[in-house]
Amino acid sequence: MTINTIIIDDEENARSNLKLILDDFCPTINVVAEASSAEEARALIAEHNPDLLFLDINMPNEDGFELLDSIENKNFSVIFITAHNQFALKALKAGAIDYIEKPIDIEDLQQAVS
């Protein structure tokens, strides 16, 4: 089963790093797009109808929670990937299936994907 995915993070290095890890260690993940902002992500979500988002929390203008609040029909799962551990409870209340802290632990990522 292939899981079509969008990576949303304002840091290009973080997006690239996650994509490399996913390519190497999570063969069921198919990254269909990457977004550097909530605005860009909304358009890509509408275009690609992903199964899963890897979503950063702290981004300029709109954070990850504001992005999720702005989407009416959430037909996807969300895994938050962030450097900040203080948002874990809020992420779970927002419906996230997992919350991974940076730097990314490969086993945590594989478990979240499965």
Side-chain angles (χ1 to χ4, degrees), residues 7-114:
I7 299 172
I8 305 163
D9 194 312
D10 61 310
E11 297 179 26
E12 184 177 354
N13 287 342
R15 291 191 314 271
S16 297
N17 183 48
L18 177 56
K19 185 169 185 329
L20 287 172
I21 293 170
L22 290 168
D23 288 346
D24 287 346
F25 297 100
C26 299
T28 60
I29 296 294
N30 176 38
V31 177
V32 296
E34 297 178 25
S36 61
S37 68
E39 181 179 355
E40 186 180 359
R42 264 190 294 283
L44 291 171
I45 290 166
E47 178 182 345
H48 293 284
N49 193 27
D51 304 308
L52 175 66
L53 302 181
F54 285 102
L55 180 57
D56 187 24
I57 293 175
N58 285 330
M59 297 184 292
N61 301 324
E62 281 181 85
D63 67 25
F65 296 115
E66 291 168 321
L67 169 62
L68 289 179
D69 288 344
S70 73
I71 298 172
E72 288 186 29
N73 296 318
K74 296 178 189 74
N75 298 326
F76 50 78
S77 298
V78 177
I79 297 174
F80 280 101
I81 297 192
T82 182
H84 306 280
N85 65 4
Q86 69 266 30
F87 299 112
L89 183 58
K90 186 174 181 179
L92 294 175
K93 287 183 177 184
I97 60 171
D98 214 327
Y99 187 94
I100 298 174
E101 286 184 59
K102 296 175 186 175
I104 297 169
D105 179 89
I106 292 169
E107 288 181 13
D108 288 346
L109 181 66
Q110 289 174 317
Q111 185 175 16
V113 166
S114 68

